[in-house]
Amino acid sequence: MKTLFDKIWDAHVVQNVKDGPTQLYIDRLFLHEVTSPQAFDTLRDKGIGVFRSDRLVAMPDHNTPSDQQDHIDDPVGRNQVETLKRNCCQFGIKHFDMGTKDNGIIHVVGPEKALSLPGMTIVCGDSHTSTHGAVGALAMGIGTSEVAQVLASQCILQQKPKSMRISIEGELEKGVTAKDVALYIMSKLTTSGATGYVVEYAGSAIRSMSMEGRLTLSNLSIEMGSRAGIIAPDEITFEYLKGREYAPKGEAWDKSVEQWKTLRSDEDAVFDKEVTFKAEDIKPRITYGTNPGAGVAIDEAIPTLDEIKETDKAGFLSQLSYMQFEPGEKLEGKAVDYCFLGACTNGRIEDFRAFASIVKGRKKADNVVAWLVPGSWSVRRQIEEEGIDKILKEAGFELRLPSCSACLAMNPDKVPAGKLCVSTSNRNFVGRQGPGARTILASPLVVAAAAVTGKITDPRKML
């Protein structure tokens, strides 16, 4: 019997190369400005065209400013965005340009427009393509040479990964979000604990999770080293996708849903590895180091040296040195400089609702610079339609324009050296948010609590 991953993989095999990789058909290729230029140059060098332009969608996001979108000052970023537009025009590819109503972070726009659907194989030259696995798709980040393969043939050559199932059983406590679940899993499995696997998330806590929460969880799959994260589609998935722009309509919708209902692991399916966690053990989380797995519950202390393996002590101390923290230190109550809400991890409408639930009736702390950046223009419109923008404004916050923003230092939203940022983004690597910037990863609720108190604060005290 088969896992969900097996079913999707097997349905897309074109051929198995003897003693080599599998030729896998790709349903959707997403393109952005950073990793695609060299792939298009490969086509030109070989004198070939795009095989199936109707299966491709492109948009700039990494270099897009969040304060204005009339121009990009940085010449490198501007050239990347302009090159993407020219390439899409030349090869006849759907392109959602910067500042237009369809634009946003590619991993936010894909699901919200139903360009990502259950059972699909989806690739993009970006590691966080795993996000799209939340709809029940096999979604993988690929390299530039593989992007060229898909442009030319709508296929890639891949070795089949192993399978892992991570189950979260029970009910999450109030104030605990999908972001906390992901950070908890990484702290237990480490950032290499799922290397070589496609991870299926299962269990009662996952089944009760909203679509936005599932997208957050799948987004962070890559931070455990996994090839992809996937969640079996169900009524929550179907309700989320129904009526969206590129979803099947009418009779085609009904037929699609019936087929999608078969996309689940068989009861006796065998995984290469299985792990189970209890939902009640998970609290709001924060990171203290320079990888997403170096984290603790918000009311816990950083581990002491005695709690760290001898072989890991040098790396542990190096992380704390960069972060300017000490072994055994509690971070709750520590002053922060910047707060960032956004990214393909937490830039969706549910994340802004959560943030607003904390800041409503309160004021932004004077010592904090806050960047609140929707993941798409659609999210921004919904924020305005629900009146969330008014709540934010009354609390002293500015709603910015859709962009990858402060997730990574490729646009103007850079955290200055030495400053401490509590962020909903996906990576806290050295220099990720700017040279010398220090990053604590957290949920929208934790970021909101920090933004109004000026310090790391347990959001459960403010709900």
Side-chain angles (χ1 to χ4, degrees), residues 110-129:
E112 77 180 7
K113 285 186 170 294
L115 286 161
S116 308
L117 294 171
M120 276 187 168
T121 48
I122 299 171
V123 294
C124 175
D126 184 276
S127 57
H128 293 105
T129 308

Side-chain angles (χ1 to χ4, degrees), residues 114-175:
L115 286 161
S116 308
L117 294 171
M120 276 187 168
T121 48
I122 299 171
V123 294
C124 175
D126 184 276
S127 57
H128 293 105
T129 308
S130 57
T131 309
H132 307 262
V135 302
L138 176 59
M140 301 179 289
I142 58 175
T144 299
S145 63
E146 293 170 312
V147 172
Q149 288 177 20
V150 181
L151 288 172
S153 69
Q154 208 58 36
C155 294
I156 54 171
L157 297 174
Q158 288 280 297
Q159 296 285 353
K160 186 177 181 180
K162 295 180 289 185
S163 62
M164 177 190 295
R165 179 160 59 188
I166 298 177
S167 299
I168 312 293
E169 300 292 355
E171 185 176 347
L172 296 174
E173 295 180 0
K174 188 175 182 180

Side-chain angles (χ1 to χ4, degrees), residues 355-415:
F355 187 95
S357 72
I358 293 283
V359 306
K360 185 176 182 179
R362 298 184 170 99
K363 293 291 183 181
K364 183 183 77 67
D366 293 336
N367 63 301
V368 169
V369 175
W371 290 324
L372 313 185
V373 187
S376 71
W377 282 94
S378 177
V379 172
R380 183 181 165 92
R381 288 192 295 272
Q382 196 165 353
I383 288 169
E384 293 168 346
E385 289 167 2
E386 295 183 13
I388 294 172
D389 58 326
K390 294 181 176 63
I391 294 173
L392 300 177
K393 186 176 181 180
E394 288 170 2
F397 295 96
E398 173 197 0
L399 181 64
R400 296 171 78 91
L401 306 181
S403 163
C404 284
S405 185
C407 177
L408 77 172
M410 286 188 68
N411 55 72
D413 296 347
K414 296 178 177 67
V415 177

Side-chain angles (χ1 to χ4, degrees), residues 28 110-118 120 237-254 256-257 260:
R28 179 78 68 205
E112 77 180 7
K113 285 186 170 294
L115 286 161
S116 308
L117 294 171
M120 276 187 168
T237 317
F238 308 148
E239 183 63 28
Y240 175 85
L241 293 172
K242 189 175 184 180
R244 292 184 182 266
E245 188 172 354
Y246 292 94
K249 302 295 191 296
E251 186 178 337
W253 170 261
D254 295 334
S256 294
V257 170
W260 294 341

